[in-house]
């Protein structure tokens, strides 16, 4: 929730997510919101920079155990 994070109403937040795996079959599935709307998959070595409204949760699910994921949230204060 935007107010719980102390963020203003109109902000330009971004989320960076990278799949650091080198195994082509391993991917990250990305969903957003309480209804789990699928945004897509990130395969081995790929990354995404996504806009984020600060109000909806972004969830990831990995296709294999022990995968390493890099992530970063950039928010406008």
């Amino acid at each position: 929730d935007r107010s719980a994070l102390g963020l203003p109403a109109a902000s330009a937040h971004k989320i960076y997510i990278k799949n650091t795996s080198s195994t082509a079959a391993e991917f990250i599935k990305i969903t957003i919101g309480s209804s789990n709307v699928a945004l897509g998959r990130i395969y081995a070595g790929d990354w995404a920079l996504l806009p984020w409204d600060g109000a909806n949760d972004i969830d990831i699910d990995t296709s294999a155990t022990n995968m390493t994921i890099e992530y970063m949230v950039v928010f406008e204060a």
Side-chain angles (χ1 to χ4, degrees), residues 1-7 52 54-57:
D1 162 333
R2 193 185 304 266
S3 61
L5 295 174
L7 304 174
W52 180 49
N56 290 296
D57 289 337

Side-chain angles (χ1 to χ4, degrees), residues 29-40 56-60:
K29 180 181 175 187
I30 302 172
T31 57
I32 189 167
S34 60
S35 59
N36 289 326
V37 175
L39 293 180
N56 290 296
D57 289 337
I58 293 181
D59 296 312
I60 62 169

Side-chain angles (χ1 to χ4, degrees), residues 4-5 11 14 17 20 22-23 25-26 34 40-41 47 50-53 58-59 62 66 68 72-73 75-77:
L5 295 174
S11 300
K14 305 286 186 275
I17 303 170
T20 61
S22 59
T23 304
E26 294 182 349
S34 60
R41 295 180 177 184
W47 57 273
L50 307 167
W52 180 49
D53 65 3
I58 293 181
D59 296 312
T62 59
N66 298 324
T68 301
M72 175 177 60
V73 176
F75 62 92
E76 177 183 10

